[in-house]
Amino acid sequence: MSLSMHQASVPVFLQMLNNLSAILDKADAYARNHEIDPEVLLNYRLAPDMLPFVRQIQIAADLAKGAAARLAGVEVPKHDDTEKTFADLKARITNTATFVQSIQPRDIDGSEGRDITLTLGDHTLSFKGQQYLLHFVLPNFYFHCTTAYDILRHCGVDLGKRDFIGAI
Amino acid sequence: MSLSMHQASVPVFLQMLNNLSAILDKADAYARNHEIDPEVLLNYRLAPDMLPFVRQIQIAADLAKGAAARLAGVEVPKHDDTEKTFADLKARITNTATFVQSIQPRDIDGSEGRDITLTLGDHTLSFKGQQYLLHFVLPNFYFHCTTAYDILRHCGVDLGKRDFIGAI
């Protein structure tokens, strides 16, 4: 057994997307039980110049989707950022997970040296596949997953570390 | 070139420990410039039942140290949780990075199937090396790094995503 690019990406994304989906259920239930307009939680930020909860989830999903597609050398599916409810965000995550799961080991293994180019605004970032996954995608993916969790915890949603890490 | 357990752990930890060290400098400067007692930031929490900043850093450091040691099959160095200042936390991170850096590819590569047993309170967790790294250590490590960052951002420290991700 040796570590592969597929093992270091697809199951990692799926685990965390699954955890986020369960976290969204808890946030939705919290809003209902406390008669909080869900939009308050969806638009909550930890600082005025940080992104709101809804964007944290959208970006986490896009990082997983983009990484799976780019490492496999297929087109990145387009998901519009139109979510207005927790149910919408759950659907976004389900769609993302379905795509990520469609990427097989044979599609992605051996992509360590694949050239990956990202355009972020005016910046162009160039990576090899392994560097892209380990030093760009995973820290960013976990950053947005954690910040989504932290926003909900700050708002009082009853979550614990096990909700974040999931079943081991 | 194929992905190795060393590549997926040691350089990943070192990159983020380095970023955390620079973030601590910014937090220290912010406290000085705003005449905030550093202890206020060190003890800040995003929710009453979440851990304070100082613990987020200590735990992130311990996850890196523990993973490097356990995957290499060497004793985990003991670092006491005695930090009272930003300088103390920077020293903790430096000591951690020095140890992590001492673990060479030959020490850790091939540890995918190594049996790893963790005792957390009353719970015993058993993993294979690869599962331990990808599904326990990395999500937890990034969780605590991100939450440390989120606490400082919530407190107004002038940080951006680039401080978290570091040079790419």
Side-chain angles (χ1 to χ4, degrees), chain A residues 1-3 7 11 46-47 49-50 112-113 127 130 134-136 139-140 142-144 146-147 149-150 153-154 161 164-165 168, chain B residues 1-3 7-8 11 46-47 49-50 112-113 127 130 134-136 139-140 142-144 146-147 149-150 153-154 161 164-165 168:
Chain A
M1 183 175 80
S2 76
L3 185 57
Q7 290 163 339
L46 289 175
D49 58 348
M50 288 184 81
E112 287 90 339
F127 305 91
Q130 181 177 305
L134 296 178
H135 293 277
F136 180 82
N140 270 296
Y142 282 124
F143 176 91
H144 291 287
T146 303
T147 301
Y149 172 97
D150 283 347
R153 289 287 268 109
H154 183 67
K161 191 70 169 302
F164 182 82
I165 296 295
I168 296 176
Chain B
M1 184 175 82
S2 75
L3 186 58
Q7 290 163 339
L46 288 175
D49 58 347
M50 288 184 79
E112 286 90 340
F127 305 91
Q130 179 176 307
L134 296 178
H135 294 277
F136 179 82
N140 270 296
Y142 282 123
F143 176 91
H144 292 287
T146 303
T147 301
Y149 172 97
D150 283 348
R153 289 286 269 111
H154 183 67
K161 191 70 168 303
F164 182 82
I165 297 294
I168 295 176

Short mmCIF file of all heavy atoms in Angstrom, two decimals, chain A residues 1-3 7 11 46-47 49-50 112-113 127 130 134-136 139-140 142-144 146-147 149-150 153-154 161 164-165 168, chain B residues 1-3 7-8 11 46-47 49-50 112-113 127 130 134-136 139-140 142-144 146-147 149-150 153-154 161 164-165 168:
data_model
loop_
_atom_site.label_atom_id
_atom_site.label_comp_id
_atom_site.label_asym_id
_atom_site.label_seq_id
_atom_site.Cartn_x
_atom_site.Cartn_y
_atom_site.Cartn_z
N MET A 1 0.85 -1.20 0.00
CA MET A 1 0.00 0.00 0.00
C MET A 1 0.87 1.24 0.00
O MET A 1 1.79 1.36 0.81
CB MET A 1 -0.84 0.00 1.29
CG MET A 1 -1.80 1.17 1.36
SD MET A 1 -2.90 1.08 2.82
CE MET A 1 -1.84 1.70 4.12
N SER A 2 0.64 2.15 -0.93
CA SER A 2 1.34 3.43 -0.84
C SER A 2 0.36 4.55 -1.13
O SER A 2 -0.64 4.36 -1.83
CB SER A 2 2.54 3.47 -1.78
OG SER A 2 2.10 3.65 -3.09
N LEU A 3 0.65 5.68 -0.53
CA LEU A 3 -0.25 6.82 -0.59
C LEU A 3 -0.42 7.26 -2.05
O LEU A 3 0.56 7.36 -2.79
CB LEU A 3 0.38 7.94 0.23
CG LEU A 3 -0.41 9.22 0.43
CD1 LEU A 3 -1.77 8.92 1.08
CD2 LEU A 3 0.39 10.17 1.32
N GLN A 7 -6.23 9.00 -2.88
CA GLN A 7 -6.48 8.82 -1.44
C GLN A 7 -6.33 10.12 -0.66
O GLN A 7 -7.02 10.34 0.33
CB GLN A 7 -5.49 7.78 -0.88
CG GLN A 7 -5.77 6.37 -1.36
CD GLN A 7 -4.59 5.44 -1.14
OE1 GLN A 7 -3.45 5.89 -0.99
NE2 GLN A 7 -4.87 4.15 -1.12
N PRO A 11 -11.41 10.92 -0.95
CA PRO A 11 -12.07 10.51 0.30
C PRO A 11 -11.98 11.59 1.38
O PRO A 11 -12.86 11.69 2.24
CB PRO A 11 -11.29 9.26 0.73
CG PRO A 11 -10.47 8.85 -0.44
CD PRO A 11 -10.26 10.06 -1.28
N LEU A 46 -17.43 36.58 11.15
CA LEU A 46 -16.65 36.73 12.39
C LEU A 46 -15.99 38.10 12.48
O LEU A 46 -15.56 38.51 13.55
CB LEU A 46 -15.58 35.64 12.50
CG LEU A 46 -16.11 34.24 12.79
CD1 LEU A 46 -14.98 33.23 12.76
CD2 LEU A 46 -16.83 34.20 14.15
N ALA A 47 -15.89 38.79 11.36
CA ALA A 47 -15.36 40.16 11.32
C ALA A 47 -15.96 40.82 10.09
O ALA A 47 -16.30 40.12 9.12
CB ALA A 47 -13.83 40.15 11.25
N ASP A 49 -14.79 42.35 7.66
CA ASP A 49 -14.08 42.11 6.40
C ASP A 49 -13.73 40.64 6.20
O ASP A 49 -12.80 40.29 5.47
CB ASP A 49 -12.82 42.99 6.31
CG ASP A 49 -11.87 42.75 7.46
OD1 ASP A 49 -12.28 42.09 8.45
OD2 ASP A 49 -10.72 43.21 7.38
N MET A 50 -14.51 39.77 6.83
CA MET A 50 -14.42 38.34 6.52
C MET A 50 -15.68 37.95 5.75
O MET A 50 -16.68 38.65 5.79
CB MET A 50 -14.28 37.50 7.80
CG MET A 50 -12.91 37.62 8.45
SD MET A 50 -12.72 36.52 9.90
CE MET A 50 -12.33 34.94 9.11
N GLU A 112 0.67 13.90 -9.61
CA GLU A 112 1.61 14.68 -8.77
C GLU A 112 2.31 15.78 -9.56
O GLU A 112 2.55 16.87 -9.05
CB GLU A 112 2.68 13.77 -8.16
CG GLU A 112 2.21 12.87 -7.04
CD GLU A 112 1.70 11.52 -7.50
OE1 GLU A 112 1.33 11.38 -8.70
OE2 GLU A 112 1.66 10.60 -6.67
N GLY A 113 2.69 15.47 -10.80
CA GLY A 113 3.47 16.45 -11.58
C GLY A 113 2.65 17.21 -12.61
O GLY A 113 3.20 17.97 -13.41
N PHE A 127 1.14 25.67 -10.41
CA PHE A 127 1.53 24.62 -9.48
C PHE A 127 1.81 23.33 -10.24
O PHE A 127 1.31 23.14 -11.35
CB PHE A 127 0.37 24.25 -8.54
CG PHE A 127 -0.24 25.35 -7.75
CD1 PHE A 127 -1.32 26.06 -8.25
CD2 PHE A 127 0.23 25.66 -6.49
CE1 PHE A 127 -1.92 27.07 -7.51
CE2 PHE A 127 -0.37 26.66 -5.74
CZ PHE A 127 -1.44 27.36 -6.25
N GLN A 130 0.87 17.95 -7.03
CA GLN A 130 1.06 17.62 -5.61
C GLN A 130 1.11 18.86 -4.73
O GLN A 130 0.50 18.91 -3.66
CB GLN A 130 2.35 16.81 -5.44
CG GLN A 130 2.61 16.42 -4.00
CD GLN A 130 3.86 15.57 -3.88
OE1 GLN A 130 3.99 14.54 -4.54
NE2 GLN A 130 4.78 16.01 -3.06
N LEU A 134 -1.54 19.71 -1.74
CA LEU A 134 -1.09 19.72 -0.34
C LEU A 134 -0.91 21.12 0.23
O LEU A 134 -1.08 21.31 1.44
CB LEU A 134 0.24 18.97 -0.21
CG LEU A 134 0.21 17.47 -0.52
CD1 LEU A 134 1.61 16.89 -0.38
CD2 LEU A 134 -0.75 16.73 0.40
N HIS A 135 -0.51 22.08 -0.61
CA HIS A 135 -0.14 23.39 -0.07
C HIS A 135 -1.08 24.51 -0.48
O HIS A 135 -0.91 25.64 -0.04
CB HIS A 135 1.31 23.73 -0.46
CG HIS A 135 2.30 22.83 0.19
ND1 HIS A 135 2.76 23.02 1.47
CD2 HIS A 135 2.88 21.68 -0.24
CE1 HIS A 135 3.61 22.06 1.78
NE2 HIS A 135 3.70 21.22 0.76
N PHE A 136 -2.04 24.21 -1.33
CA PHE A 136 -3.04 25.23 -1.68
C PHE A 136 -4.46 24.75 -1.38
O PHE A 136 -5.17 25.36 -0.59
CB PHE A 136 -2.91 25.63 -3.17
CG PHE A 136 -3.91 26.66 -3.59
CD1 PHE A 136 -3.69 28.01 -3.33
CD2 PHE A 136 -5.09 26.29 -4.22
CE1 PHE A 136 -4.64 28.97 -3.68
CE2 PHE A 136 -6.04 27.25 -4.58
CZ PHE A 136 -5.80 28.59 -4.31
N PRO A 139 -5.13 23.28 2.68
CA PRO A 139 -5.23 24.34 3.71
C PRO A 139 -6.41 25.28 3.46
O PRO A 139 -7.10 25.67 4.41
CB PRO A 139 -3.90 25.09 3.62
CG PRO A 139 -3.15 24.54 2.46
CD PRO A 139 -3.80 23.25 2.05
N ASN A 140 -6.68 25.62 2.20
CA ASN A 140 -7.82 26.49 1.90
C ASN A 140 -9.15 25.79 2.19
O ASN A 140 -10.07 26.39 2.76
CB ASN A 140 -7.78 26.93 0.43
CG ASN A 140 -7.02 28.21 0.22
OD1 ASN A 140 -7.41 29.26 0.71
ND2 ASN A 140 -5.91 28.13 -0.50
N TYR A 142 -9.79 23.30 4.29
CA TYR A 142 -10.02 23.20 5.74
C TYR A 142 -10.24 24.57 6.37
O TYR A 142 -10.98 24.69 7.36
CB TYR A 142 -8.85 22.48 6.42
CG TYR A 142 -8.89 20.98 6.24
CD1 TYR A 142 -7.82 20.29 5.68
CD2 TYR A 142 -9.99 20.24 6.66
CE1 TYR A 142 -7.85 18.91 5.53
CE2 TYR A 142 -10.04 18.86 6.51
CZ TYR A 142 -8.97 18.20 5.96
OH TYR A 142 -9.01 16.84 5.82
N PHE A 143 -9.59 25.59 5.83
CA PHE A 143 -9.81 26.95 6.34
C PHE A 143 -11.30 27.30 6.25
O PHE A 143 -11.89 27.79 7.22
CB PHE A 143 -8.99 27.96 5.53
CG PHE A 143 -9.23 29.39 5.93
CD1 PHE A 143 -8.45 29.99 6.91
CD2 PHE A 143 -10.25 30.12 5.35
CE1 PHE A 143 -8.70 31.30 7.30
CE2 PHE A 143 -10.50 31.43 5.74
CZ PHE A 143 -9.72 32.02 6.71
N HIS A 144 -11.90 27.08 5.09
CA HIS A 144 -13.30 27.50 4.92
C HIS A 144 -14.26 26.58 5.67
O HIS A 144 -15.26 27.06 6.21
CB HIS A 144 -13.63 27.60 3.43
CG HIS A 144 -12.91 28.75 2.78
ND1 HIS A 144 -13.26 30.06 3.00
CD2 HIS A 144 -11.82 28.80 1.98
CE1 HIS A 144 -12.44 30.87 2.35
NE2 HIS A 144 -11.55 30.12 1.71
N THR A 146 -13.55 25.08 8.52
CA THR A 146 -13.40 25.44 9.93
C THR A 146 -14.06 26.78 10.21
O THR A 146 -14.71 26.96 11.25
CB THR A 146 -11.92 25.52 10.31
OG1 THR A 146 -11.29 24.27 10.04
CG2 THR A 146 -11.76 25.84 11.79
N THR A 147 -13.88 27.74 9.32
CA THR A 147 -14.47 29.06 9.57
C THR A 147 -15.99 28.98 9.55
O THR A 147 -16.66 29.65 10.35
CB THR A 147 -13.91 30.09 8.57
OG1 THR A 147 -12.49 30.13 8.73
CG2 THR A 147 -14.47 31.48 8.83
N TYR A 149 -17.69 26.38 10.55
CA TYR A 149 -17.98 25.80 11.88
C TYR A 149 -17.83 26.86 12.97
O TYR A 149 -18.69 26.99 13.86
CB TYR A 149 -17.01 24.63 12.11
CG TYR A 149 -17.03 24.03 13.50
CD1 TYR A 149 -17.78 22.88 13.78
CD2 TYR A 149 -16.27 24.58 14.52
CE1 TYR A 149 -17.78 22.33 15.05
CE2 TYR A 149 -16.28 24.03 15.80
CZ TYR A 149 -17.03 22.91 16.06
OH TYR A 149 -17.03 22.37 17.33
N ASP A 150 -16.75 27.63 12.90
CA ASP A 150 -16.49 28.65 13.94
C ASP A 150 -17.59 29.70 13.97
O ASP A 150 -17.97 30.18 15.06
CB ASP A 150 -15.13 29.32 13.71
CG ASP A 150 -13.95 28.45 14.13
OD1 ASP A 150 -14.16 27.43 14.82
OD2 ASP A 150 -12.80 28.80 13.77
N ARG A 153 -20.52 28.10 15.76
CA ARG A 153 -20.23 27.98 17.20
C ARG A 153 -20.34 29.33 17.88
O ARG A 153 -20.89 29.46 18.98
CB ARG A 153 -18.84 27.39 17.41
CG ARG A 153 -18.71 25.92 17.05
CD ARG A 153 -19.38 25.02 18.08
NE ARG A 153 -18.46 24.60 19.13
CZ ARG A 153 -18.50 25.02 20.39
NH1 ARG A 153 -19.40 25.91 20.77
NH2 ARG A 153 -17.64 24.55 21.27
N HIS A 154 -19.82 30.36 17.22
CA HIS A 154 -19.89 31.71 17.77
C HIS A 154 -21.34 32.16 17.92
O HIS A 154 -21.67 32.92 18.84
CB HIS A 154 -19.12 32.67 16.85
CG HIS A 154 -19.06 34.08 17.32
ND1 HIS A 154 -18.37 34.44 18.46
CD2 HIS A 154 -19.60 35.22 16.84
CE1 HIS A 154 -18.49 35.76 18.64
NE2 HIS A 154 -19.22 36.25 17.67
N LYS A 161 -16.50 19.16 18.36
CA LYS A 161 -15.42 18.77 17.48
C LYS A 161 -15.76 17.53 16.66
O LYS A 161 -15.35 17.40 15.52
CB LYS A 161 -14.18 18.52 18.34
CG LYS A 161 -12.90 18.36 17.58
CD LYS A 161 -12.48 19.68 16.97
CE LYS A 161 -11.09 19.58 16.44
NZ LYS A 161 -10.13 19.18 17.51
N PHE A 164 -17.25 18.20 13.42
CA PHE A 164 -16.28 18.66 12.42
C PHE A 164 -15.48 17.49 11.85
O PHE A 164 -15.29 17.38 10.64
CB PHE A 164 -15.35 19.69 13.03
CG PHE A 164 -14.36 20.25 12.03
CD1 PHE A 164 -14.73 21.26 11.17
CD2 PHE A 164 -13.08 19.74 11.94
CE1 PHE A 164 -13.84 21.77 10.22
CE2 PHE A 164 -12.18 20.24 11.00
CZ PHE A 164 -12.55 21.25 10.14
N ILE A 165 -15.00 16.64 12.73
CA ILE A 165 -14.10 15.55 12.30
C ILE A 165 -14.88 14.38 11.70
O ILE A 165 -14.42 13.71 10.80
CB ILE A 165 -13.24 15.06 13.48
CG1 ILE A 165 -12.31 16.19 13.97
CG2 ILE A 165 -12.43 13.82 13.12
CD1 ILE A 165 -11.27 16.63 12.97
N ILE A 168 -14.62 8.37 12.70
CA ILE A 168 -13.25 7.95 12.38
C ILE A 168 -13.18 6.44 12.35
O ILE A 168 -13.65 5.79 13.25
CB ILE A 168 -12.24 8.50 13.40
CG1 ILE A 168 -12.23 10.03 13.33
CG2 ILE A 168 -10.84 7.96 13.15
CD1 ILE A 168 -11.35 10.66 14.36
N MET B 1 7.97 10.58 -9.87
CA MET B 1 7.58 11.21 -8.60
C MET B 1 6.25 10.64 -8.13
O MET B 1 5.29 10.62 -8.89
CB MET B 1 7.40 12.72 -8.83
CG MET B 1 7.08 13.49 -7.56
SD MET B 1 7.02 15.29 -7.85
CE MET B 1 5.38 15.51 -8.50
N SER B 2 6.21 10.15 -6.91
CA SER B 2 4.90 9.76 -6.38
C SER B 2 4.80 10.25 -4.94
O SER B 2 5.79 10.41 -4.25
CB SER B 2 4.69 8.25 -6.46
OG SER B 2 5.45 7.61 -5.48
N LEU B 3 3.57 10.51 -4.58
CA LEU B 3 3.28 11.11 -3.27
C LEU B 3 3.77 10.19 -2.15
O LEU B 3 3.55 8.99 -2.19
CB LEU B 3 1.76 11.30 -3.18
CG LEU B 3 1.21 12.03 -1.98
CD1 LEU B 3 1.80 13.42 -1.87
CD2 LEU B 3 -0.31 12.12 -2.11
N GLN B 7 6.06 13.66 2.34
CA GLN B 7 5.62 14.87 1.62
C GLN B 7 4.25 15.34 2.11
O GLN B 7 3.98 16.55 2.13
CB GLN B 7 5.54 14.56 0.12
CG GLN B 7 6.90 14.39 -0.53
CD GLN B 7 6.81 13.70 -1.88
OE1 GLN B 7 5.83 13.02 -2.19
NE2 GLN B 7 7.84 13.89 -2.68
N ALA B 8 3.39 14.38 2.49
CA ALA B 8 2.03 14.74 2.91
C ALA B 8 1.99 15.19 4.37
O ALA B 8 0.91 15.55 4.87
CB ALA B 8 1.09 13.56 2.71
N PRO B 11 6.54 18.65 5.31
CA PRO B 11 6.55 20.01 4.72
C PRO B 11 5.23 20.75 4.92
O PRO B 11 5.22 21.99 5.01
CB PRO B 11 6.80 19.76 3.22
CG PRO B 11 7.23 18.34 3.10
CD PRO B 11 6.69 17.62 4.28
N LEU B 46 -13.95 32.10 20.82
CA LEU B 46 -15.07 32.46 19.95
C LEU B 46 -16.42 32.11 20.56
O LEU B 46 -17.45 32.59 20.13
CB LEU B 46 -14.94 31.78 18.58
CG LEU B 46 -13.83 32.34 17.69
CD1 LEU B 46 -13.72 31.51 16.41
CD2 LEU B 46 -14.08 33.81 17.35
N ALA B 47 -16.40 31.25 21.55
CA ALA B 47 -17.61 30.88 22.30
C ALA B 47 -17.14 30.42 23.67
O ALA B 47 -16.01 29.92 23.81
CB ALA B 47 -18.37 29.76 21.57
N ASP B 49 -17.63 27.88 25.39
CA ASP B 49 -17.23 26.48 25.50
C ASP B 49 -16.29 26.06 24.36
O ASP B 49 -16.19 24.88 24.03
CB ASP B 49 -18.46 25.56 25.56
CG ASP B 49 -19.37 25.73 24.35
OD1 ASP B 49 -19.19 26.70 23.59
OD2 ASP B 49 -20.26 24.88 24.17
N MET B 50 -15.59 27.03 23.80
CA MET B 50 -14.50 26.70 22.87
C MET B 50 -13.18 27.03 23.57
O MET B 50 -13.14 27.78 24.56
CB MET B 50 -14.61 27.51 21.57
CG MET B 50 -15.75 27.04 20.67
SD MET B 50 -15.80 27.94 19.07
CE MET B 50 -14.49 27.11 18.14
N GLU B 112 2.29 4.12 5.79
CA GLU B 112 0.85 4.09 5.49
C GLU B 112 0.11 3.05 6.33
O GLU B 112 -1.02 3.28 6.76
CB GLU B 112 0.61 3.77 4.00
CG GLU B 112 0.91 4.89 3.04
CD GLU B 112 2.36 4.89 2.55
OE1 GLU B 112 3.23 4.27 3.21
OE2 GLU B 112 2.61 5.50 1.50
N GLY B 113 0.71 1.89 6.54
CA GLY B 113 0.03 0.82 7.24
C GLY B 113 0.43 0.67 8.70
O GLY B 113 0.01 -0.28 9.37
N PHE B 127 -5.69 3.49 14.47
CA PHE B 127 -5.63 3.87 13.06
C PHE B 127 -4.52 3.09 12.37
O PHE B 127 -3.58 2.62 13.00
CB PHE B 127 -5.23 5.34 12.89
CG PHE B 127 -6.05 6.35 13.60
CD1 PHE B 127 -5.72 6.77 14.88
CD2 PHE B 127 -7.14 6.93 12.97
CE1 PHE B 127 -6.46 7.74 15.52
CE2 PHE B 127 -7.89 7.90 13.59
CZ PHE B 127 -7.55 8.30 14.88
N GLN B 130 -1.86 5.94 7.36
CA GLN B 130 -2.42 6.83 6.33
C GLN B 130 -3.75 7.45 6.77
O GLN B 130 -3.98 8.65 6.59
CB GLN B 130 -2.64 6.04 5.03
CG GLN B 130 -3.23 6.87 3.92
CD GLN B 130 -3.35 6.09 2.63
OE1 GLN B 130 -2.39 5.49 2.15
NE2 GLN B 130 -4.53 6.05 2.06
N LEU B 134 -4.40 11.45 7.21
CA LEU B 134 -5.33 12.15 6.31
C LEU B 134 -6.68 12.47 6.94
O LEU B 134 -7.29 13.47 6.59
CB LEU B 134 -5.57 11.32 5.05
CG LEU B 134 -4.37 11.08 4.14
CD1 LEU B 134 -4.79 10.21 2.96
CD2 LEU B 134 -3.79 12.40 3.63
N HIS B 135 -7.14 11.60 7.85
CA HIS B 135 -8.51 11.77 8.36
C HIS B 135 -8.58 12.16 9.83
O HIS B 135 -9.65 12.39 10.35
CB HIS B 135 -9.32 10.50 8.09
CG HIS B 135 -9.54 10.25 6.62
ND1 HIS B 135 -10.55 10.86 5.91
CD2 HIS B 135 -8.84 9.51 5.72
CE1 HIS B 135 -10.49 10.49 4.63
NE2 HIS B 135 -9.45 9.68 4.49
N PHE B 136 -7.44 12.19 10.49
CA PHE B 136 -7.45 12.64 11.89
C PHE B 136 -6.51 13.83 12.09
O PHE B 136 -6.93 14.90 12.52
CB PHE B 136 -7.07 11.49 12.84
CG PHE B 136 -7.05 11.91 14.28
CD1 PHE B 136 -8.22 11.97 15.02
CD2 PHE B 136 -5.85 12.27 14.91
CE1 PHE B 136 -8.21 12.40 16.35
CE2 PHE B 136 -5.83 12.69 16.23
CZ PHE B 136 -7.01 12.75 16.96
N PRO B 139 -7.12 17.21 9.36
CA PRO B 139 -8.29 18.04 9.68
C PRO B 139 -8.20 18.70 11.05
O PRO B 139 -8.58 19.86 11.21
CB PRO B 139 -9.48 17.07 9.60
CG PRO B 139 -8.92 15.71 9.39
CD PRO B 139 -7.48 15.83 8.99
N ASN B 140 -7.68 17.98 12.04
CA ASN B 140 -7.54 18.57 13.37
C ASN B 140 -6.49 19.68 13.38
O ASN B 140 -6.70 20.74 13.99
CB ASN B 140 -7.14 17.50 14.39
CG ASN B 140 -8.34 16.85 15.04
OD1 ASN B 140 -9.10 17.50 15.74
ND2 ASN B 140 -8.52 15.56 14.80
N TYR B 142 -5.46 21.61 10.87
CA TYR B 142 -5.97 22.80 10.20
C TYR B 142 -7.11 23.44 10.99
O TYR B 142 -7.29 24.66 10.97
CB TYR B 142 -6.42 22.47 8.78
CG TYR B 142 -5.28 22.34 7.80
CD1 TYR B 142 -5.09 21.18 7.06
CD2 TYR B 142 -4.39 23.40 7.60
CE1 TYR B 142 -4.04 21.06 6.15
CE2 TYR B 142 -3.34 23.29 6.69
CZ TYR B 142 -3.18 22.13 5.97
OH TYR B 142 -2.14 22.02 5.07
N PHE B 143 -7.88 22.62 11.68
CA PHE B 143 -8.96 23.16 12.52
C PHE B 143 -8.38 24.13 13.55
O PHE B 143 -8.87 25.25 13.72
CB PHE B 143 -9.71 22.03 13.23
CG PHE B 143 -10.77 22.52 14.18
CD1 PHE B 143 -12.08 22.70 13.74
CD2 PHE B 143 -10.47 22.84 15.50
CE1 PHE B 143 -13.05 23.18 14.61
CE2 PHE B 143 -11.44 23.33 16.36
CZ PHE B 143 -12.73 23.50 15.92
N HIS B 144 -7.34 23.71 14.23
CA HIS B 144 -6.79 24.56 15.30
C HIS B 144 -6.02 25.75 14.75
O HIS B 144 -6.08 26.85 15.31
CB HIS B 144 -5.97 23.72 16.28
CG HIS B 144 -6.83 22.78 17.07
ND1 HIS B 144 -7.66 23.20 18.08
CD2 HIS B 144 -7.04 21.45 16.95
CE1 HIS B 144 -8.34 22.17 18.56
NE2 HIS B 144 -7.97 21.09 17.89
N THR B 146 -6.75 27.28 11.92
CA THR B 146 -7.77 28.21 11.41
C THR B 146 -8.49 28.90 12.56
O THR B 146 -8.76 30.10 12.50
CB THR B 146 -8.80 27.46 10.54
OG1 THR B 146 -8.13 26.80 9.48
CG2 THR B 146 -9.84 28.42 9.97
N THR B 147 -8.81 28.15 13.61
CA THR B 147 -9.53 28.76 14.72
C THR B 147 -8.66 29.80 15.42
O THR B 147 -9.16 30.85 15.85
CB THR B 147 -10.06 27.68 15.68
OG1 THR B 147 -10.93 26.81 14.92
CG2 THR B 147 -10.84 28.27 16.83
N TYR B 149 -6.44 31.66 13.89
CA TYR B 149 -6.54 32.79 12.96
C TYR B 149 -7.89 33.49 13.12
O TYR B 149 -7.96 34.72 13.20
CB TYR B 149 -6.36 32.26 11.53
CG TYR B 149 -6.62 33.26 10.43
CD1 TYR B 149 -5.56 33.95 9.82
CD2 TYR B 149 -7.90 33.50 9.95
CE1 TYR B 149 -5.80 34.87 8.79
CE2 TYR B 149 -8.15 34.40 8.93
CZ TYR B 149 -7.09 35.08 8.35
OH TYR B 149 -7.34 35.99 7.34
N ASP B 150 -8.97 32.72 13.17
CA ASP B 150 -10.32 33.31 13.27
C ASP B 150 -10.48 34.12 14.55
O ASP B 150 -11.14 35.16 14.56
CB ASP B 150 -11.38 32.20 13.20
CG ASP B 150 -11.63 31.68 11.78
OD1 ASP B 150 -11.15 32.32 10.81
OD2 ASP B 150 -12.29 30.63 11.65
N ARG B 153 -8.70 37.40 13.94
CA ARG B 153 -9.46 38.25 13.01
C ARG B 153 -10.68 38.83 13.71
O ARG B 153 -11.01 40.00 13.52
CB ARG B 153 -9.90 37.42 11.79
CG ARG B 153 -8.77 37.05 10.87
CD ARG B 153 -8.31 38.25 10.04
NE ARG B 153 -9.02 38.34 8.79
CZ ARG B 153 -9.90 39.29 8.46
NH1 ARG B 153 -10.23 40.22 9.33
NH2 ARG B 153 -10.47 39.31 7.29
N HIS B 154 -11.34 38.01 14.52
CA HIS B 154 -12.51 38.48 15.26
C HIS B 154 -12.13 39.61 16.22
O HIS B 154 -12.92 40.52 16.48
CB HIS B 154 -13.12 37.30 16.03
CG HIS B 154 -14.37 37.64 16.77
ND1 HIS B 154 -15.55 37.97 16.14
CD2 HIS B 154 -14.64 37.73 18.10
CE1 HIS B 154 -16.49 38.22 17.04
NE2 HIS B 154 -15.97 38.08 18.23
N LYS B 161 -5.90 36.31 4.27
CA LYS B 161 -5.78 34.91 3.89
C LYS B 161 -4.33 34.54 3.57
O LYS B 161 -3.91 33.41 3.81
CB LYS B 161 -6.68 34.66 2.68
CG LYS B 161 -6.87 33.22 2.31
CD LYS B 161 -7.71 32.53 3.34
CE LYS B 161 -8.14 31.19 2.83
NZ LYS B 161 -8.87 31.28 1.56
N PHE B 164 -2.42 33.24 6.36
CA PHE B 164 -2.75 31.86 6.71
C PHE B 164 -2.09 30.86 5.76
O PHE B 164 -1.52 29.86 6.20
CB PHE B 164 -4.27 31.66 6.70
CG PHE B 164 -4.69 30.28 7.11
CD1 PHE B 164 -4.78 29.92 8.44
CD2 PHE B 164 -4.98 29.31 6.15
CE1 PHE B 164 -5.14 28.63 8.81
CE2 PHE B 164 -5.34 28.02 6.51
CZ PHE B 164 -5.42 27.68 7.85
N ILE B 165 -2.20 31.14 4.46
CA ILE B 165 -1.71 30.19 3.46
C ILE B 165 -0.19 30.28 3.30
O ILE B 165 0.47 29.28 3.03
CB ILE B 165 -2.41 30.43 2.10
CG1 ILE B 165 -3.91 30.17 2.23
CG2 ILE B 165 -1.80 29.58 0.99
CD1 ILE B 165 -4.28 28.74 2.51
N ILE B 168 3.34 30.70 -1.68
CA ILE B 168 3.05 29.50 -2.49
C ILE B 168 4.09 29.39 -3.62
O ILE B 168 4.34 30.34 -4.31
CB ILE B 168 1.63 29.57 -3.08
CG1 ILE B 168 0.60 29.55 -1.95
CG2 ILE B 168 1.38 28.39 -4.01
CD1 ILE B 168 -0.82 29.73 -2.43
#
